[in-house]
């Protein structure tokens, strides 16, 4: 089955955030003291998540990304991953992780059929890693990178560019692509930091990031972007890996956006910038849930905002965003 939205865009990708909790405190995502963590009963159970995934796969979703918070802090997450990986009709199961707890699980992820993982790493410098994430965990993240590559799993390294906090890391991260077959993707910082306001970050938009990279690597070449790519992709001749820039704040990719997001508390977001357009949890905990959910999901997909600007405008509170990315999943 093919699922399309009211603007004719194919919808085939679900990003499911399985928890809002995290073992890091990245300053662009949440305050140092954390956020008001959701109570256990507020969060979809694994049974509910699996049921939702099964329904969405029947409706036409063929790729699911597990994210969070940090997916691996949720107890028994591997059980959920195994169950989702076996859904008939699902072509690709992937995940986004901060890599702190991931390394020992990599062999099992490989056995499960996971072919690609997004690993967040904003710097290669241990002190700056601590300054950004407020935890001294870079060695474990690097260990996860090694484990993924040695198991033949594709790695996309995500780095949020945050003004003066890590602009000096852009070029060393690009250098990494010389020897390693990784895609390093620089992400514009979005305002989902759980409350804090950082204004200088938006000076580092995708044009400025690319200008810096091109100045140092003038031979860098544009390579084709995939059909639903959110990144502009490049390669430096002779380098094994690739470089990408994600204009997450500038929102240049909405025209081909193929994704749905579900938050840990079961809100459906048809745009990263909307306020949640459907309370899945309420429906899935009611009578005749599958029937009602199918109708409600189709309705939401048929009333999707045209782009992130419209979605932001339509947010019920029409206030600046105070959410944390840990409740959205990235
Ligand atoms: N904890 C996992 C991780 O960090 O990879 C998964 C969840 S995290 C919310 C998903 C992605 O969102 C990460 O790559 C992170 O860097 C990115 N992210 C978080 N807050 C962001 C923000 N304010 N702007 C842009 N990207 C952000
Ligand atoms: Fe945790 Fe990921 Fe948010 Fe960092 S970006 S605080 S690792 S959820």
């Amino acid at each position: 089955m093919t699922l399309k939205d009211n603007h004719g865009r194919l919808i085939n990708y679900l990003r499911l955030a399985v928890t809002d909790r995290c073992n890091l405190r990245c300053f662009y995502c949440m305050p140092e003291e954390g956020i008001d963590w959701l109570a256990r009963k507020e969060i979809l159970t694994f049974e509910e998540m699996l049921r939702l995934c099964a329904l969405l796969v029947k409706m036409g979703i063929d790729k699911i990304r597990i994210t969070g918070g940090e997916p691996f802090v949720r107890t028994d997450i591997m059980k959920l991953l195994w169950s989702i990986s076996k859904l008939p009709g699902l072509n690709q199961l992937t995940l986004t992780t901060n890599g702190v707890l991931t390394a020992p699980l990599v062999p099992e992820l490989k056995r499960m059929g996971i072919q690609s993982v997004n690993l967040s790493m904003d710097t290669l410098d241990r002190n700056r890693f601590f300054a950004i994430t407020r935890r001294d965990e870079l060695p474990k993240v690097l260990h996860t990178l090694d484990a993924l590559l040695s198991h033949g799993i594709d790695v996309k390294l995500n780095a949020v560019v945050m003004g003066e906090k890590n602009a000096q890391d852009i070029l060393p991260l690009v250098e990494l692509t010389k020897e390693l077959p990784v895609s390093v993707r620089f992400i514009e910082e979005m305002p989902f930091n759980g409350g804090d306001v950082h204004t200088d970050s938006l000076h580092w938009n995708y044009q400025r990031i690319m200008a810096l990279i091109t100045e140092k690597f003038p031979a860098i070449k544009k390579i084709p972007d995939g059909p639903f790519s959110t990144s502009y992709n490049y390669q430096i001749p002779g380098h094994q890996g690739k470089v990408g820039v994600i204009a997450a704040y500038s929102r240049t990719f909405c025209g081909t956006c193929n994704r749905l997001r579900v938050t840990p508390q079961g809100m459906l977001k048809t745009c990263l910038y909307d306020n949640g357009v459907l309370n899945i949890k309420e429906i899935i905990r009611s009578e005749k849930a599958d029937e009602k959910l199918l109708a409600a999901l189709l309705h939401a997909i048929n009333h999707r905002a045209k782009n992130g600007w419209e979605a932001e405008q339509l947010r019920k509170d029409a206030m600046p965003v105070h959410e944390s990315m840990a409740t959205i999943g990235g």
Side-chain angles (χ1 to χ4, degrees), residues 28-29 67-71 96-98 120 158 160 187-190 192 325-326 329-330:
Y28 49 76
C29 181
T67 174
E70 173 51 32
T96 303
T97 174
N98 64 27
S120 299
N158 286 348
V160 179
I187 308 176
E188 287 179 351
E189 186 181 4
M190 292 175 268
F192 301 117
M325 194 61 100

Side-chain angles (χ1 to χ4, degrees), residues 142-320:
L142 290 171
H143 189 194
T144 292
L145 175 60
D146 277 352
L148 290 167
L149 292 176
S150 66
H151 283 80
I153 296 180
D154 284 347
V155 179
K156 289 183 180 148
L157 277 184
N158 286 348
V160 179
V161 180
M162 301 151 276
E164 302 325 311
K165 268 260 198 317
N166 72 338
Q168 62 274 61
D169 290 295
I170 296 175
L171 296 177
L173 284 165
V174 172
E175 290 276 3
L176 213 58
T177 67
K178 188 168 186 188
E179 305 298 340
L180 298 181
V182 294
S183 290
V184 174
R185 290 135 33 105
F186 298 101
I187 308 176
E188 287 179 351
E189 186 181 4
M190 292 175 268
F192 301 117
N193 49 41
D196 292 348
V197 177
H198 318 290
T199 46
D200 63 344
S201 58
L202 300 177
H203 296 303
W204 279 93
N205 61 16
Y206 67 100
Q207 288 105 332
R208 185 169 174 201
I209 297 168
M210 273 322 294
L212 179 81
I213 298 173
T214 310
E215 192 186 356
K216 169 81 182 182
F217 299 99
I220 193 166
K221 285 201 166 56
K222 182 81 190 74
I223 54 171
D225 304 322
F228 306 107
S229 176
T230 52
S231 53
Y232 299 118
N233 299 297
Y234 301 83
Q235 191 160 29
I236 298 163
H239 283 211
Q240 292 191 52
K242 296 172 189 154
V243 175
V245 189
I246 302 181
Y249 185 80
S250 306
R251 286 164 252 191
T252 55
F253 42 65
C254 303
T256 56
C257 179
N258 63 340
R259 47 192 70 188
L260 301 177
R261 290 179 166 79
V262 174
T263 68
Q265 65 272 49
M267 285 303 289
L268 174 75
K269 287 169 84 84
T270 55
C271 173
L272 181 57
Y273 285 85
D274 73 35
N275 209 11
V277 294
L278 175 68
N279 187 336
I280 291 173
K281 182 176 64 196
E282 206 171 274
I283 303 180
I284 215 165
R285 293 183 182 175
S286 70
E287 294 282 308
K288 296 193 184 159
D290 279 9
E291 225 172 276
K292 284 194 254 172
L293 199 51
L294 176 65
L297 287 166
L298 286 172
H299 182 269
I301 291 165
N302 273 317
H303 291 80
R304 210 169 164 228
K306 193 168 157 207
N307 53 42
W309 304 105
E310 185 181 305
E312 195 174 21
Q313 192 67 38
L314 290 171
R315 283 178 77 100
K316 283 190 201 102
D317 46 11
M319 295 290 282

Side-chain angles (χ1 to χ4, degrees), residues 19-31 37 67-71 96-100 120 122 129 132-134 160 192 324-327 329-330:
T19 179
D20 60 332
R21 293 178 191 239
C22 192
N23 43 3
L24 297 183
R25 292 287 181 277
C26 305
F27 93 104
Y28 49 76
C29 181
M30 60 174 78
W37 310 114
T67 174
E70 173 51 32
T96 303
T97 174
N98 64 27
V100 174
S120 299
D122 304 312
F129 185 94
I132 293 167
T133 67
R134 299 154 170 142
V160 179
F192 301 117
S324 160
M325 194 61 100
T327 58

Side-chain angles (χ1 to χ4, degrees), residues 78-90:
M78 295 303 272
K79 286 188 187 157
L80 177 71
L81 292 179
W82 274 110
S83 318
I84 294 178
S85 74
K86 291 177 183 149
L87 287 175
L90 184 70

